[in-house]
Amino acid sequence: MSTLLVTGGAGFIGSNFVRHALEHTGHDVVVLDKLTYAGDLASLEGVPSDRFRFVRGDIGDAGLVGALTAELDPATDAIVHFAAESHNDNSLAGPRPFVDTNILGTYTLIEAARERELRFHHISTDEVYGDLELDDPAKFTESTAYRPSSPYSSTKAASDLLVAAWVRSFGLRATISSCSNNYGPYQHVEKFIPRQITNVLGGKRPKLYGSGRNVRDWIHVDDHNSAVLAILERGRVGETYLIGANGERNNLQVVETILELLGQPRDAYDLVDDRPGHDLRYAIDASKLRTETGWAPRYTDFRDGLARTIEWYRDNEAWWGPQKAATEARYAELGR
Ligand code: NAD
Ligand code: TDX
């Protein structure tokens, strides 16, 4: 491959992917991003301009998508599709943009990929499988039935089904990856870990939904992105791969670790109203990915990865500061 068309490359995972791909591969990168509230060109500052181009636009704009895919060579190039409306709380407050971007936007991209016979990689989420009981020894695998709970996860599930149908019906050369919760630099302050870190840095208390017992399977964003590259290079077309790094923790444990790393009492948090329909637990079995591609995570010590992430937010208030007040105002309206 020589050029990757990366959708959503100004968002959290996409911008980290762009840096990772430019650093670790010889690919050039073209980013297509609408720059919604979640996209920020500052997340791409300093990437080498001779191998990188930014295009502002909507993945649902068939004319623009067609013009960009016309530049790609099916023999060498690929589309890596990160763009999405990604926040569960926003999907509960206003689902429409999730339908437009996650479903119709993905449809627009796979139609363009089909026309040009381009390799396509679709970024999905473990949330398409719904949730597990807290005491269930099981984890999600590629054969777990889809059972999404929220407007966000149901639109991600719908987009996965479109991609899978385009593989079967039209021979689209696509792969899908479904990853667990990411953490790391450049994550929007609306998400759990950055919200709590920046609350504490600003002298405020972390906010835990419900009992704080819900479990997420945390993975560092660089490990997610190295897995995506492994799938692009060595994954089998038509297959889905789950990405995870055995990082299960409940939300209370994560908040206690953040407080401890920031020198605060471990109980200096508030319990707030629960999220409606709040998924209990996610857990990933990544055996297929590991066996077929040889991928392994580098950030195996969550506490260490979290400490580095805290340092990044401490050093980069100029990046997150402008979003913080508006984000907390939205949460205040929701009572969370
Ligand atoms: P994000 O919200 O930080 O970034 C999304 C990016 O997509 C933004 O730059 C935004 O401007 C752009 N975008 C939104 N709508 C667009 C449109 N219509 N056209 C073009 N660009 C548009 O999201 P993220 O956390 O980086 O997630 C990236 C992908 O990874 C998503 O597909 C998400 O479902 C998936 N995912 C995220 C996680 C996680 O923990 N964050 C875990 C698993 C999977
Ligand atoms: O202030 C908070 N307090 C709190 O207790 C926030 C923002 C969240 N939470 C809880 C809800 C979840 O149990 O923390 C957990 C993580 O919440 P989010 O960061 O909103 O992530 P989640 O809903 O688990 O979804 C994330 O992982 C899967 C991403 O946002 C999705 O894009 C991805 O698909």
Side-chain angles (χ1 to χ4, degrees), residues 7-14 32-40 57-60 81-87 101 123-126 152 156 178-183 186-188 190-191 218 224:
T7 71
F12 162 47
I13 306 174
L32 171 60
D33 195 297
K34 187 179 176 180
L35 296 181
T36 67
Y37 80 96
D40 190 346
D58 194 318
I59 56 167
H81 174 35
F82 290 93
E85 286 292 338
S86 69
H87 192 37
T101 288
I123 306 292
S124 191
T125 170
D126 59 359
Y152 164 67
K156 291 297 291 186
S178 297
C179 189
S180 56
N181 285 60
N182 287 217
Y183 72 97
Y186 298 106
Q187 187 169 28
H188 195 282
E190 70 189 354
K191 301 291 180 3
W218 293 100
H224 182 178

Side-chain angles (χ1 to χ4, degrees), residues 27-77:
H27 304 307
D28 291 347
V29 170
V30 177
V31 164
L32 171 60
D33 195 297
K34 187 179 176 180
L35 296 181
T36 67
Y37 80 96
D40 190 346
L41 274 182
S43 304
L44 290 164
E45 247 166 40
V47 301
S49 57
D50 55 328
R51 292 174 55 207
F52 168 76
R53 181 156 63 100
F54 181 82
V55 178
R56 183 172 192 177
D58 194 318
I59 56 167
D61 178 344
L64 175 61
V65 167
L68 290 173
T69 51
E71 296 174 7
L72 298 179
D73 179 349
T76 55
D77 302 342

